[in-house]
Amino acid sequence: MHTEKLILLDEVESTNNYAMGLVHEGLAQHGMAVFSNHQTGGKGRRNKQWDSERGKNITLSIITDMQTIALYRQFDLSIIAALSSYEFLKKYTDEEIKLKWPNDIFFNDSKAGGILIENVVKGNVWEYAVTGIGININQTLFYGELLQAISLKQITGKDYDVVELVKELIEIFLCKYDELKQNGIGKMFTEYKKVLFKLNEKVKLKKGNAVFETIIKGVTPYGQLITFDNAERRFDFDEVEWVI
Ligand code: BTN
């Protein structure tokens, strides 16, 4: 079991910031995790905010010691986080869950969860990572920008004990980290690619102000999205946005 280092908070600005604070104060240990019932300043990718109803959802950050993993392998942790979230949700539903590159968790065309990884790098050394995972569990009303969101409860019709689920998710995630250290990412990367959102389908992406249509063909081992229209193209993490 990995969950003896779980810190449970009632309210915090952001579990990622709290975890990062522990790292900077020298108090972090590998496997520590922070969950809060409520975040007053939850963060999403691309400087967006992450809103989540108090007590209803998973808002979790897990600290991992990354010193033995090369900096150029940063996408490995994204794969682990996405695949852990996928496997975790698949324990509760037979419905199709997909991973939308780089690491959103989708059910049909709705977002069930997202991941924000923040790193502490010194020189060439990837010292620590804080993997923030938000997964919608019991929330059933979403507003504004979140109209496209969905929760596990909306998929299955059931209510869940969020803290119990948090412990399960940490366990899955830390087992995958151990697997990465022992066997490398190979098998997990194959699993990730199998459940890629819109694989071999035509989608719209946006680069700068230009929206274009292309077919999703896969992801490189370093995390670039591979697409094909009149030629094969590869895109970095923040180079393109999805238009759904
Ligand atoms: C995204 O899809 O944009 C990423 C969302 C990440 C949200 C989680 S909730 C727990 C952790 N703390 C934060 O402030 N953000 C992440």
Side-chain angles (χ1 to χ4, degrees):
M1 284 292 282
H2 289 101
T3 38
E4 66 275 12
K5 295 181 208 148
L6 173 60
I7 299 169
L8 296 172
L9 304 173
D10 186 48
E11 187 170 292
V12 72
E13 182 191 34
S14 148
T15 55
N16 263 35
N17 292 357
Y18 188 97
M20 208 38 113
L22 294 175
V23 174
H24 289 306
E25 285 157 34
L27 300 172
Q29 285 169 35
H30 172 76
M32 267 186 176
V34 184
F35 165 79
S36 181
N37 271 324
H38 187 58
Q39 297 187 115
T40 54
K43 304 187 295 183
R45 291 184 61 236
R46 297 175 175 270
N47 293 322
K48 290 194 177 158
Q49 60 184 49
W50 182 261
D51 292 324
S52 173
E53 205 179 316
R54 180 183 285 274
K56 297 247 162 143
N57 303 316
I58 292 180
T59 44
L60 169 71
S61 300
I62 307 172
I63 298 172
T64 43
D65 180 344
M66 305 307 296
Q67 288 187 67
T68 58
I69 299 177
L71 203 46
Y72 71 90
R73 301 245 39 127
Q74 282 197 19
F75 187 57
D76 292 2
L77 191 61
S78 271
I79 295 172
I80 288 179
L83 203 58
S84 302
S85 306
Y86 171 85
E87 280 183 18
F88 158 77
L89 282 175
K90 287 301 282 179
K91 283 175 68 175
Y92 294 95
T93 176
D94 289 333
E95 299 288 346
E96 215 170 61
I97 305 291
K98 295 282 179 185
L99 295 176
K100 177 167 152 283
W101 176 85
N103 48 20
D104 283 345
I105 302 112
F106 261 63
F107 170 74
N108 292 334
D109 279 341
S110 299
K111 180 159 165 164
I115 290 159
L116 174 67
I117 299 177
E118 297 182 87
N119 299 302
V120 175
V121 177
K122 295 230 172 89
N124 275 337
V125 180
W126 186 7
E127 293 207 323
Y128 279 101
V130 169
T131 301
I133 306 179
I135 301 181
N136 302 322
I137 301 295
N138 292 323
Q139 185 167 343
T140 50
L141 291 171
F142 296 96
Y143 303 98
E145 271 203 17
L146 296 182
L147 277 177
Q148 258 195 340
I150 195 160
S151 67
L152 182 58
K153 178 172 180 175
Q154 287 172 313
I155 301 172
T156 66
K158 294 184 188 149
D159 255 303
Y160 299 88
D161 178 333
V162 175
V163 173
E164 278 313 306
L165 297 197
V166 161
K167 291 178 184 165
E168 285 176 17
L169 180 57
I170 296 169
E171 188 66 25
I172 297 173
F173 177 88
L174 292 175
C175 282
K176 294 210 178 299
Y177 171 94
D178 290 346
E179 190 186 330
L180 174 70
K181 295 259 278 192
Q182 273 162 29
N183 306 320
I185 198 70
K187 207 163 149 248
M188 293 188 279
F189 183 45
T190 306
E191 296 299 314
Y192 170 90
K193 284 188 292 186
K194 273 193 213 153
V195 291
L196 208 53
F197 180 70
K198 304 280 186 205
L199 184 62
N200 294 319
E201 289 180 43
K202 197 184 260 183
V203 301
K204 278 188 188 152
L205 299 177
K206 187 172 165 194
K207 181 171 168 150
N209 288 326
V211 174
F212 59 99
E213 279 195 337
T214 190
I215 297 169
I216 301 294
K217 293 313 280 180
V219 175
T220 72
Y222 301 106
Q224 285 186 308
L225 181 68
I226 307 169
T227 69
F228 187 86
D229 30 272
N230 37 35
E232 186 180 293
R233 300 173 205 284
R234 290 169 181 216
F235 297 102
D236 285 328
F237 258 38
D238 282 325
E239 209 181 337
V240 281
E241 263 180 78
W242 290 81
V243 181
I244 291 184

